[in-house]
Amino acid sequence: MENLIALLVAAPLLGAAVLLCGGRRLDAVGHWIGTALAAASFVIGVVLFADMLGKDAEHREIGQHLFSWIPVEGFQADVAFQLDQLSMTFVLLITGVGSLIHVYSIGYMEHDERRRRFFGYLNLFLAAMLLLVLADNYLLLYVGWEGVGLASYLLIGFWQHKPSAATAAKKAFLVNRVGDVGLSIAIMLMFTTFGTFAFGPVLGAVGETSEGTLTAIALMLLLAACGKSAQVPLQSWLGDAMEGPTPVSALIHAATMVTAGVYLIVRSAAIFNGAPDAQLVTTVVGAVTLLFGAIVGCAKDDIKKALAGSTMSQIGYMVLAAGLGPIGYVFAIMHLVTHGFFKAGLFLGAGSVMHGMNDEVDMRKYGGLRKYMPVTFVTFGLGYLAIIGFPGLSGFFSKDKIIEAAFAKGGTEGWILGGVALLGAAITAFYMTRVMLMTFFGEERWRSRPTASPAEPDVEPAAEHGGAAASDHVAAATGEPHPHESPKVMTIPMIVLAVGSVFGGAFFSIGDRFIHWLEPVTKHSHGHPPISAAAVTSATVAVMVIGVGLAWLQYGRKPVPVVAPRGSLLTRAARRDLLQDDFNHVVLVRGGEHLTRSLVYVDHTLVDGVVNGTAASMGGLSGRLRRIQNGYARSYAVSMFGGAAILIAATLLMRAV
């Protein structure tokens, strides 16, 4: 079975190579090739999973060494894979959800003339993500990490003819490079400290390393995780990334890429366990981000950007749980898996709505769509119930456990983290109910489309929501939309994901099944919460009901205006992503400009002044000395006479003294 591990990566990598290098002759069948190879990787994963289940829990880890990548004295880097319970969880999620998104994309990208290239990029992304989670050392993980960054750049900017898409791709790429610097520094610190990059030796030697070194490594790993998982302060790229085709949002920004940071933290659990200060910073980052994303999601009228804020918030829950240590690692991964189901389903549902609405993304121009898109309504609705934590659905089990673990942290810190997690649950229920009501209920606002006044500064123009002409395809349809259900090739993946949204959490929770599955890797600890699990569950359900009720009062009982009102100061700030881009522009862009000007001034005045002044002084001195060497014998005779006179005078003076 060990030999099958490499095939997990090889199948989609082969698909990417064939589709990107095969030329136009494959245009007619490229989408089928890409989907078949993604599905083949999933089948291989299922076979390996079945084999793993047949072994004892402590003997399920297997590995495969392919070759020595960099074999030099004192520096050994191997291309080798490690498959254990943690990486297997990601393999099934990546290949399973990824295959469903491939199927969905067959219908969604049907009329795109570059569909073959799109599926090649999807395959490339799957291969890079699988390499990331299967690598048995940090250096090979870094290769997959960078491959994911490249593939996301290509997919976000797939419609590069749109300036907004090209800009979004560059923004995502550059912001992630900041996080990548953190990962590269962490790897260099590991090598100088442990002499290796391999997971086993590095994580096994943590007990022999100082806490300061572990804290430095952990903080650099956290910086990397913030970039990939769109956590504060590197979260600004996620909303703009919605410029890519909707299947990209479902694949990269719901189920895979944004979860890579969570994987990195949990995989490096031993390092974080030895660095309590880094764990505290991790929990703070997660807590701040879950509120940040939730608040942004409340104010977005673009359905995809509202879901992007939700993704940021839900990943914040996972990072918060991962920062809690052994009491939270398993629940971070559990919520990651359930989130992969319901958030991918929500994004695909959003794409289905756009498919039937002439690619319109403004929810203020929706309304009453449940009558026209029954399958989309039901599947989207089940994903909505799952994410708000409705009792019995997957999000209820996974998010409830994170809130309980936050309280179990104990002390003032536990109460603060638990309170923040509860507040985030209430806001989640509010903004997701808002999305549901504005899209599927109320009057049919798409029948009449007044435009916003140009003088209104806080209303986002439709063209900004989905790029040129608010399009999520190459060419948007024109005229009044005629809502209709999407074809089966798009609705079947949505139905499968909805089933996972409903039953996934319960399946994992029965008999603590998921805890026992990951315990050999994450070393779970139950903790001692100051309040009972029943009290936490009751509080979670209560705040969920409050959030739903407030949203219904504002968007269910009252007509939704087609043009967004000005709103409060907080609302206007949330529409601008809580001024994150403004902050980055003032602090980083303007700050960088001022720093550059200062350095140029110092260079011109101080550095160049010293260099040029030294050169000028030597030039002047040499010019003056050169006058002595004029080639005239009489001048030399006078100089010799003068020198002799000085020597005689000095000698007589010394004798007299």
Side-chain angles (χ1 to χ4, degrees), residues 273-349:
N273 291 340
D277 292 339
Q279 284 186 321
L280 176 61
V281 175
T282 304
T283 58
V284 171
V285 167
V288 170
T289 307
L290 76 87
L291 290 180
F292 187 102
I295 293 171
V296 168
C298 290
K300 292 296 184 181
D301 293 331
D302 183 319
I303 188 171
K304 288 175 64 178
K305 290 191 176 182
L307 294 178
S310 172
T311 295
M312 193 186 304
S313 178
Q314 297 305 307
I315 302 296
Y317 273 103
M318 301 172 206
V319 172
L320 168 62
L324 296 173
I327 63 175
Y329 290 135
V330 66
F331 301 130
I333 302 301
M334 182 176 172
H335 193 54
L336 184 151
V337 176
T338 59
H339 177 265
F341 285 120
F342 57 69
K343 184 53 67 64
L346 288 169
F347 268 115
L348 296 188

Side-chain angles (χ1 to χ4, degrees), residues 32-84:
W32 295 113
I33 294 174
T35 303
L37 288 171
S41 187
F42 174 67
V43 171
I44 296 170
V46 171
V47 171
L48 288 168
F49 176 63
D51 177 70
M52 185 176 284
L53 288 178
K55 300 177 181 179
D56 294 335
E58 302 298 331
H59 300 89
R60 287 173 172 170
E61 180 180 331
I62 60 176
Q64 181 181 8
H65 181 276
L66 294 184
F67 57 89
S68 293
W69 177 18
I70 309 176
V72 296
E73 185 177 357
F75 186 94
Q76 183 73 26
D78 296 328
V79 175
F81 299 129
Q82 171 182 306
L83 186 65
D84 57 13

